[in-house]
Amino acid sequence: MFAQLSRALIDARHELPRILDALTTSLTRSLCDRCSIELTASTSAEAASPRCCVTPRRVILRLLGRGLLHGSVTVMRDDDSPPFEARELADIETCIAYAALAGELVIDLEAERTALRAEQERVERFYRTMLRVVGHDMRAPVSAI
């Protein structure tokens, strides 16, 4: 399961939707044939523990990032499936942690790219302004020559 998720996270590159899709696909393939995964976004992190609701066939885990990535992951099995085992819950939590880390890295990378673009635009504006000023100031001496 972890190898598939790791490969999918690498293939997702810097796209957050693909990272979250890799998480749901990996969990669905490894847990059971008849289960469902639901991702829910949240606007802020809650200070409670990562595990917020556990029943024999349904678990809701928090998707907590360091910054902007917050939400929950609900994993459900139908009534005919066996209940979740402690090992499976630990595996789910590990997968969520990997996906949250990858998502946070994407968010950080995008913020850095935005800051770099803004800095490049500021430098380009400065160069254009300097060229205009120097060109204007050189017009009079060149015309006198």
Side-chain angles (χ1 to χ4, degrees):
M1 169 171 55
F2 297 122
Q4 290 174 342
L5 177 62
S6 298
R7 171 65 70 192
L9 291 176
I10 290 169
D11 292 342
R13 298 196 170 246
H14 306 297
E15 298 176 30
L16 189 57
R18 288 182 64 190
I19 288 172
L20 297 176
D21 184 53
L23 172 65
T24 57
T25 302
S26 176
L27 290 177
T28 302
R29 283 184 185 161
S30 62
L31 286 173
C32 61
D33 293 331
R34 297 177 312 235
C35 67
S36 64
I37 312 290
E38 179 182 316
L39 294 172
T40 307
S42 171
T43 56
S44 65
E46 288 127 14
S49 67
R51 197 178 281 184
C52 64
C53 178
V54 179
T55 64
R57 289 182 182 82
R58 181 173 186 237
V59 60
I60 300 173
L61 299 167
R62 287 194 180 22
L63 177 67
L64 293 177
R66 297 167 300 163
L68 300 173
L69 186 63
H70 305 292
S72 63
V73 178
T74 304
V75 183
M76 295 174 285
R77 286 186 170 167
D78 62 12
D79 293 334
D80 297 335
S81 298
F84 288 109
E85 297 174 8
R87 178 192 51 81
E88 291 173 322
L89 293 176
D91 289 349
I92 294 168
E93 287 175 337
T94 302
C95 288
I96 290 171
Y98 286 164
L101 179 61
E104 285 294 325
L105 290 174
V106 166
I107 291 170
D108 291 346
L109 178 65
E110 195 55 41
E112 288 177 17
R113 283 182 179 168
T114 301
L116 182 61
R117 276 188 232 116
E119 178 66 18
Q120 287 174 336
E121 289 174 10
R122 187 187 70 76
V123 168
E124 287 175 13
R125 277 194 311 261
F126 173 76
Y127 284 138
R128 284 193 299 268
T129 302
M130 286 302 296
L131 283 174
R132 276 189 257 132
V133 168
V134 169
H136 183 267
D137 289 348
M138 293 300 293
R139 212 173 284 154
V142 169
S143 64
I145 292 175

